[in-house]
Amino acid sequence: MIHHISIAVKNPNHVAQVFAEILKAQAVPFPPNPSSYMVIPFDEHGTAIELYPLGSQIEPGEGDDECVFVHTAITSRFTDIHAAISVPTSQKEIEQIGVREGWRVVRCNRDSFFDVIEFWVENRLMIEFLTPEMASVYLKFATDKENLKYFLAEPALATI
């Protein structure tokens, strides 16, 4: 179970407001990292999305100290991080929000197993949103151990 994730964006406050709209959640400041926000849908899983200013890094603390936030000017246009998130909104609502923001939104099929909506935050970070209908199909796929065979068909994975 993943309870929260953090991602860095150009405009954390604005992205938090957009995510709060899609997740039907609350956006609040995240004090441990200045200018950061957290989106909280208050669901049964304690789900949260932390939005940090672009250039934020989490580094280990000294000795037994907890992690620290460090800011750097080094950033990339795109990122290797993404998440699939079930949302209570419809495809039409998500598309309308994407159009309003000027962000790429496209419904995609993942190898005929399930569909997702690629929502390109600030046109640089992909989040896969799953409507309730999509989430139902995804969960049937993701919770069926028989589907593991699909991944083990790859020679590099079969040796694990």
Side-chain angles (χ1 to χ4, degrees):
M1 171 68 60
I2 297 173
H3 296 286
H4 71 262
I5 61 170
S6 62
I7 52 178
V9 295
K10 293 177 186 174
N11 189 335
N13 183 17
H14 182 72
V15 173
Q17 299 305 318
V18 171
F19 276 24
E21 183 178 357
I22 292 172
L23 276 73
K24 306 217 183 298
Q26 296 291 315
V28 297
F30 183 71
N33 189 13
S35 301
S36 297
Y37 292 84
M38 192 160 66
V39 177
I40 309 170
F42 296 100
D43 64 13
E44 66 275 12
H45 306 292
T47 303
I49 302 171
E50 297 170 8
L51 299 149
Y52 302 160
L54 200 59
S56 294
Q57 291 183 172
I58 300 173
E59 296 184 5
E62 296 291 325
D64 291 336
D65 291 344
E66 65 182 37
C67 67
V68 295
F69 291 97
V70 176
H71 295 275
T72 177
I74 300 170
T75 62
S76 174
R77 178 167 179 217
F78 298 105
T79 179
D80 55 349
I81 297 170
H82 84 281
I85 302 173
S86 295
V87 297
T89 47
S90 69
Q91 178 176 337
K92 182 178 178 181
E93 290 172 297
I94 295 167
E95 288 171 342
Q96 288 172 339
I97 293 167
V99 167
R100 181 190 73 211
E101 298 302 321
W103 298 345
R104 176 181 166 83
V105 177
V106 60
R107 182 177 180 142
C108 298
N109 181 269
R110 300 295 192 229
D111 294 328
S112 299
F113 292 113
F114 55 87
D115 287 1
V116 299
I117 298 171
E118 287 186 3
F119 190 86
W120 285 85
V121 178
E122 300 175 332
N123 289 317
R124 60 170 297 279
L125 169 72
M126 181 190 63
I127 300 295
E128 296 172 324
F129 285 133
L130 290 85
T131 65
E133 297 79 17
M134 291 175 190
S136 175
V137 174
Y138 172 83
L139 287 172
K140 285 180 186 170
F141 169 77
T143 59
D144 184 347
K145 290 183 182 178
E146 283 297 308
N147 290 327
L148 183 60
K149 292 177 185 175
Y150 168 77
F151 297 103
L152 294 177
E154 294 292 324
L157 296 177
T159 60
I160 293 176

